[in-house]
Amino acid sequence: MPETPVPQSSGQLSVSLWRGGSEGRYESYSVPRRESQTVLDVVTYVQRHIDPTLSYRFACRVGMCGSCAMTVNGRPRWTCRTHVAKVADGGRLEIGPLENLPVIKDLATDMQPFFEKWQQAKGVFAPSQTRADPMARIKPDSRPRIAADAAIECINCGVCYAACDTVRWNADYLGPAALNRAWTLVNDERDAGNPARLQAIAASGGCHSCHTHQSCQEHCPLSLNPTASIAGLKRRTTAAYLKGELKA
Ligand code: SF4
Ligand code: SF4
Ligand code: FES
């Protein structure tokens, strides 16, 4: 593969990158500064010009796929949408894997626990009709559609999960993204899975474990508010208890 040309730089960045598995360590690299450079550009430079064994994950480079999230100077971020100029503290960058997930190697985390919690939260659409039925019509201004409107924009990047202290302390906690997904389905008039879904999210490690400190909302690159979705789930599960629809 031909080398990517490196334009003239205006100085060097001092970059620490996590290398190895969970028992790894930070290693230092010097990377040329460029105009409009993103953190993902920096990681890519190291992989292409210094050490081709560096492992990391990305796909779209435009904030759509959610695969490039890493810890940048202590904060979880999409690296493709984070400009170095905004975060490089005195020309220094420390880039590590996302927190609260196992490290596969270097900057690549194992997302399996994240998606397993989606399944535990019954974050999968349960159709109430067959493909032979006419297409469902959902009014855009209906109350459930409006309640789910923002939450359906989630792209499963894991940033909120990495930022959540409750996930860190409680391995059973389903976390902001899975619960946010459950909230979209709880409000989906086409879905028939709510009895099992509400039971799952009311259980230990479900929505009532959230401490409402809004770190998820503060860090979400899309400015979504999983805390609000979880508050909705708390109201819905409490109402279901009072109506006798949930087993204690
Ligand atoms: S508000 Fe809840 S889900 Fe969000 S970061 Fe805090 S504990 Fe986690
Ligand atoms: S809620 Fe935001 S931070 Fe969390 S997974 Fe979805 S897009 Fe990422
Ligand atoms: S590479 Fe797709 S969101 Fe960053």
Side-chain angles (χ1 to χ4, degrees):
M1 196 169 81
E3 282 276 282
T4 308
V6 182
Q8 291 298 307
S9 62
S10 54
Q12 297 285 314
L13 286 165
S14 174
V15 181
S16 294
L17 294 183
W18 185 261
R19 302 305 308 266
S22 53
E23 302 299 319
R25 72 264 157 227
Y26 280 98
E27 290 191 2
S28 300
Y29 302 88
S30 186
V31 175
R33 282 199 95 136
R34 293 170 170 167
E35 209 177 323
S36 301
Q37 187 177 28
T38 66
V39 174
L40 184 60
D41 290 336
V42 170
V43 174
T44 301
Y45 179 91
V46 174
Q47 201 257 0
R48 292 196 182 165
H49 297 281
I50 303 176
D51 184 352
T53 70
L54 177 67
S55 299
Y56 65 110
R57 194 185 283 125
F58 74 96
C60 72
R61 286 181 174 268
V62 290
M64 289 182 71
C65 72
S67 65
C68 68
M70 300 171 204
T71 308
V72 182
N73 284 1
R75 185 182 168 112
R77 293 178 177 277
W78 292 346
T79 53
C80 73
R81 300 288 286 175
T82 301
H83 280 97
V84 167
K86 285 199 178 158
V87 293
D89 185 10
R92 292 182 175 276
L93 279 176
E94 184 184 87
I95 308 170
L98 276 186
E99 305 250 347
N100 297 341
L101 288 161
V103 181
I104 298 173
K105 178 175 173 284
D106 303 336
L107 305 170
T109 47
D110 181 358
M111 298 299 286
Q112 189 166 339
F114 177 80
F115 287 110
E116 280 175 350
K117 288 182 175 179
W118 257 52
Q119 291 178 319
Q120 287 168 29
K122 309 287 181 202
V124 178
F125 179 66
S128 56
Q129 295 182 308
T130 70
R131 63 180 62 197
D133 293 314
M135 192 173 288
R137 290 169 184 247
I138 305 293
K139 287 191 177 164
D141 58 353
S142 71
R143 216 168 146 184
R145 181 63 184 78
I146 289 171
D149 195 53
I152 58 175
E153 300 298 332
C154 172
I155 62 168
N156 317 313
C157 66
V159 163
C160 56
Y161 189 85
C164 176
D165 283 343
T166 306
V167 170
R168 187 184 311 267
W169 300 324
N170 179 356
D172 293 333
Y173 180 45
L174 296 173
L179 291 168
N180 181 71
R181 168 67 179 167
W183 176 243
T184 67
L185 292 172
V186 160
N187 287 289
D188 191 329
E189 294 169 60
R190 305 163 304 164
D191 181 278
N194 273 344
R197 185 172 299 119
L198 290 174
Q199 195 71 52
I201 59 187
S204 173
C207 61
H208 298 287
S209 297
C210 169
H211 292 183
T212 321
H213 54 45
Q214 296 207 292
S215 187
C216 50
Q217 184 220 353
E218 187 195 324
H219 289 81
C220 175
L222 288 174
S223 302
L224 303 183
N225 190 350
T227 320
S229 300
I230 296 167
L233 292 175
K234 288 176 177 175
R235 290 193 298 274
R236 287 292 290 268
T237 50
T238 302
Y241 268 127
L242 295 175
K243 287 185 204 161
E245 294 168 0
L246 282 184
K247 294 183 223 124

